[in-house]
Amino acid sequence: MSSTPLSSLRDAALTSKAWPFEEARKLAARYKDGPPTKGHVLFETGYGPSGLPHIGTFGEVARTTMIRRAFQAISDIPTRMICFSDDMDGMRKVPDNVPDPSALAAHLQKPLTSVPDPFGTHDSFGAHNNAMLRRFLDTFGFEYEFISATEYYRSDQFDPVLLRAAERYDDLMAVMLKSLREERQQTYSVFLPIHPETGRVLYVPMKHVDGAKGEITFDDEDGREWTLPVTGGQVKLQWKPDFGARWAGLGVDFEMYGKDHAANTPIYDRICTILGGKAPEHYIYELFLDENGEKISKSKGNGISIDEWLSYASTESLSYYMFLKPRTAKRLSWDVIPKAVDEYHQQLRAFVGQTPDQQAANPVWHIHGGQVPASGMVVSFSLLLNLASVARAQDKDTLWGFIRRYAPDAAPETHPDLDQAAGFAVRYFQDFVAPTLQPRAPDAAERAALVDLSATLAQMAETGAVPDALKAEYDSFTEELFMSVVRDTGKAHGFDNLRAWFKVLYEVLLGSDQGPRWGSFIALYGLAETVALIDRALAGELA
């Protein structure tokens, strides 16, 4: 485990261009004249519990946590992070992925915490989904406090903001009406009453708002007039006003959200200010795209789910991917996983020898909160995939047979991250690589070069000697020696463009148009095994 001395880190953090530190410095400037009266800086993440947590949920909480840790590195003001669940939202449609969906039809438009739990494990559907969220966040070790909108509205905690909203109703409506089409303006109200009899969330205009009494008067959908207090959970706010009201009521200092909310930021800020709060610092991130460049959608099911990512790679690799350029749209597809794993471990290995300034910019500092573990990946994930490919591995034990020869001191017990990666590599190979492999036969010129390469490597395997042409540069077998043999063989057969020669090897031996560094591959797979692989290709057994 490596860490940076606190004094050195703080100095580096105050000038670091890493985005978490840049955002942390904005928060520190917010309280440059002294700590907040509430005694802490409050970070918020929001969650709509109409569905299960997803990879975007992870990204938002992980990134907010990174900024929180960055702030803790430069400030002594205590911090809190809350996850606010809008579980008082009305159920707009019946989900398809629940037992007996038809049984929920009678509960449409009721708050999710008033809808029976179709799974039968919790007091309500909202409570069930909240439990799924909390289990999800706990699995990844996030430090947070959970807040239920229902509990907040029904208790007296939100009453001051709701009463202020009644008093300043006209000001709030003026902000909102500017953002609406004329037709919507006619029926819009910032308040959504909960029908006293049906329990449904009503989208109806207000006949009167009594700011002094904190009451609203409206007609329900059957034309009956009702008057309700805005307190006690009998009324909720529309989602845009609710956003700003939460900021004001809780004293939120920071919240991040996706680009799809960007246009609403001035509305959220203005609502917060009208209700007596100070608009928080916010960070708008770009959305994820699938392999076709389309926005990832829960309803479409495109892109990768978090469970799918974690079937093929570690949580830390996903955190690494989330760290990278949050304000740049990124593809979230299967082929980004191996690169994310290898880059994460490259950064782990680099961290130990870096200066405090470099460590502050290293993603792994932000992923691990400064307590950075050592990497046990003596073999890259990409190389494990190539090894799984040529060995047609069915389990990670097959890979360990090669790994032990390459790195005798490595073992599953001493290198748990490598052991985990080996299992992931086999699974990834079987699910994504194997179906695409199409080794081809070499042409005449390629065949001649492969015959020569096989002969050279076979002689090395048999005699244990470095080829005469390379003795001046190498006195023992190394990855660079193997790379030199491969490179020199290609050049000797007219492959002046070595990329073309390497591509031949990838296509003929691996069935792919890209692959490993050949020196590393031969060292891991073995000289004799590589010779046998080439000979099988020459015999037409691979194509």
Side-chain angles (χ1 to χ4, degrees):
M1 189 78 70
S2 297
S3 60
T4 312
L6 291 179
S7 58
S8 299
L9 173 66
R10 182 163 290 192
D11 290 342
L14 290 173
T15 57
S16 174
K17 293 183 179 179
W19 63 265
F21 282 125
E22 290 181 337
E23 298 308 309
R25 290 196 295 270
K26 294 176 186 177
L27 274 169
R30 184 180 176 91
Y31 293 112
K32 62 181 183 296
D33 297 326
T37 55
K38 63 180 180 289
H40 60 269
V41 167
L42 184 62
F43 296 79
E44 181 184 43
T45 64
Y47 168 65
S50 56
L52 296 177
H54 53 92
I55 203 162
T57 310
F58 175 88
E60 193 165 301
V61 179
R63 288 166 170 166
T64 301
T65 297
M66 291 173 188
I67 296 174
R68 182 188 184 191
R69 287 170 173 166
F71 180 81
Q72 291 169 336
I74 65 172
S75 174
D76 296 322
I77 302 176
T79 65
R80 293 172 57 206
M81 186 171 84
I82 60 172
C83 180
F84 193 99
S85 171
D86 189 16
D87 55 17
M88 206 167 170
D89 194 23
M91 184 175 70
R92 296 179 181 85
K93 64 178 182 179
V94 176
D96 297 327
N97 58 345
V98 299
D100 193 13
S102 61
L104 296 184
H107 301 281
L108 284 171
Q109 299 304 332
K110 289 183 180 179
L112 289 162
T113 44
S114 297
V115 176
D117 178 16
F119 298 93
T121 57
H122 293 80
D123 293 338
S124 67
F125 190 30
H128 173 273
N129 288 349
N130 285 340
M132 297 301 101
L133 170 67
R134 298 176 76 168
R135 186 176 69 181
F136 175 88
L137 297 178
D138 292 344
T139 297
F140 299 111
F142 290 120
E143 296 179 12
Y144 69 98
E145 299 169 40
F146 179 79
I147 293 181
S148 159
T150 300
E151 294 176 6
Y152 206 69
Y153 271 99
R154 290 177 180 172
S155 69
D156 59 1
Q157 296 179 79
F158 213 23
D159 286 357
V161 170
L162 292 169
L163 292 170
R164 202 172 299 131
E167 293 172 0
R168 302 174 185 179
Y169 180 76
D170 291 341
D171 293 335
L172 297 176
M173 286 293 289
V175 172
M176 293 307 306
L177 292 178
K178 289 179 183 178
S179 69
L180 303 173
R181 296 189 303 272
E182 183 176 354
E183 180 183 355
R184 183 77 176 97
Q185 291 176 357
Q186 306 306 313
T187 59
Y188 184 86
S189 168
V190 299
F191 288 117
L192 299 178
I194 312 298
H195 197 289
E197 293 179 349
T198 67
R200 296 172 61 210
V201 179
L202 300 181
Y203 291 79
V204 294
M206 297 296 103
K207 295 178 71 174
H208 178 65
V209 176
D210 190 328
K213 293 183 177 180
E215 294 178 344
I216 59 172
T217 300
F218 61 94
D219 288 341
D220 66 15
E221 294 158 320
D222 295 325
R224 289 188 297 170
E225 183 177 281
W226 298 86
T227 296
L228 296 176
V230 296
T231 55
Q234 300 193 65
V235 169
K236 77 178 297 289
L237 292 169
Q238 288 263 16
W239 72 271
K240 289 180 185 178
D242 185 83
F243 226 101
R246 288 205 311 262
W247 290 351
L250 293 166
V252 174
D253 293 296
F254 178 88
E255 181 157 4
M256 67 164 53
Y257 39 82
K259 184 181 178 181
D260 49 347
H261 282 271
N264 296 323
T265 298
I267 296 175
Y268 304 155
D269 285 352
R270 184 65 184 136
I271 295 292
C272 177
T273 303
I274 290 172
L275 294 177
K278 179 181 179 181
E281 305 299 319
H282 12 65
Y283 186 92
I284 299 171
Y285 56 84
E286 263 287 0
L287 304 177
F288 292 113
L289 308 176
D290 65 12
E291 62 272 14
N292 299 316
E294 296 182 2
K295 173 187 168 183
I296 285 179
S297 165
K298 284 189 291 183
S299 59
K300 287 184 181 179
N302 56 336
I304 305 177
S305 73
I306 192 164
D307 288 336
E308 288 168 333
W309 182 294
L310 297 180
S311 295
Y312 305 103
S314 66
T315 304
E316 292 79 13
S317 67
L318 179 57
S319 295
Y320 174 82
Y321 190 74
M322 293 296 172
F323 177 89
L324 301 176
K325 298 180 180 178
R327 284 184 167 150
T328 299
K330 294 196 293 293
R331 287 188 312 111
L332 192 56
S333 54
W334 305 110
D335 58 345
V336 306
I337 294 177
K339 186 171 185 284
V341 174
D342 282 339
E343 288 184 357
Y344 164 70
H345 282 278
Q346 288 167 8
Q347 296 289 2
L348 285 181
R349 289 189 289 271
F351 186 85
V352 179
Q354 289 179 328
T355 66
D357 287 343
Q358 292 170 326
Q359 290 181 335
N362 191 323
V364 299
W365 187 95
H366 301 275
I367 293 168
H368 296 286
Q371 301 300 310
V372 179
S375 171
M377 289 286 285
V378 294
V379 178
S380 72
F381 189 68
S382 297
L383 197 52
L384 288 174
L385 284 176
N386 292 126
L387 184 60
S389 177
V390 296
R392 296 298 189 267
Q394 297 298 312
D395 55 51
K396 63 182 179 181
D397 291 340
T398 302
L399 301 189
W400 269 107
F402 295 99
I403 295 169
R404 287 191 181 93
R405 182 172 55 194
Y406 176 78
D409 293 336
E413 299 76 22
T414 57
H415 292 65
D417 50 354
L418 178 58
D419 184 55
Q420 182 188 51
F424 285 145
V426 171
R427 189 177 303 147
Y428 189 97
F429 161 72
Q430 292 173 342
D431 291 350
F432 298 108
V433 180
T436 68
L437 295 182
Q438 294 182 323
R440 66 171 178 84
D443 63 24
E446 295 165 353
R447 171 176 286 274
L450 285 167
V451 168
D452 194 2
L453 179 60
S454 175
T456 303
L457 294 177
Q459 185 178 17
M460 293 169 66
E462 182 177 347
T463 65
V466 175
D468 290 341
L470 296 171
K471 279 184 178 178
E473 190 173 353
Y474 303 99
D475 58 7
S476 62
F477 288 178
T478 66
E479 293 180 19
E480 285 304 317
L481 167 64
F482 296 140
M483 194 67 200
S484 293
V485 170
V486 174
R487 188 166 48 239
D488 291 352
T489 302
K491 288 181 178 179
H493 286 266
F495 288 96
D496 296 325
N497 182 346
L498 288 174
R499 285 178 179 268
W501 169 230
F502 295 151
K503 191 166 186 261
V504 168
L505 296 176
Y506 296 144
E507 291 175 349
V508 174
L509 302 182
L510 302 181
S512 176
D513 60 358
Q514 56 187 340
R517 180 176 167 82
W518 282 106
S520 301
F521 177 81
I522 295 171
L524 177 62
Y525 190 49
L527 265 176
E529 288 78 7
T530 302
V531 171
L533 179 66
I534 296 172
D535 290 347
R536 289 176 60 207
L538 292 171
E541 296 176 12
L542 299 184

